[in-house]
Amino acid sequence: MSAAYLIALLVSLAGMVLLDVRHRLFLGRDPGRAVIVLLIGTAFFLLWDLAGIGLGIFFRDDGEFATGILLAPELPIEEPIFLLFLCELTMVLVCGAEKVLAARRKARA
């Protein structure tokens, strides 16, 4: 077991947050609301995962890059970090696309 996957997730999340704040896309635009949205989104997907685990749909993989630390049966410590990264990435993509489209509309006008 190693922490390679967890470290990769944390580095990726940090990079995404830096891009976000630098370009004032989501967290950089309104940090209070953004944190609330990220917490709600992460909680939703975490509940989704727990439901899938409870129904026997989702299983943990004993990969060589995972820590092996579990928060609950079949729920590795990396999962909430991945879900937070997923929510942050989605919001950065949506806000970035809105910013690009708004700049294009402004350039045409």
Side-chain angles (χ1 to χ4, degrees), residues 49-99:
D49 278 0
L50 291 171
I53 290 167
L55 293 170
I57 298 169
F58 298 154
F59 297 98
R60 174 180 63 96
D61 181 26
D62 290 328
E64 63 184 271
F65 300 109
T67 60
I69 300 170
L70 298 179
L71 299 174
E74 303 296 330
L75 183 67
I77 196 168
E78 294 90 355
E79 188 66 12
I81 306 299
F82 169 73
L83 295 173
L84 178 62
F85 172 74
L86 181 67
C87 290
E88 171 66 6
L89 173 64
T90 301
M91 293 312 300
V92 164
L93 290 173
V94 168
C95 293
E98 287 175 348
K99 198 170 188 177

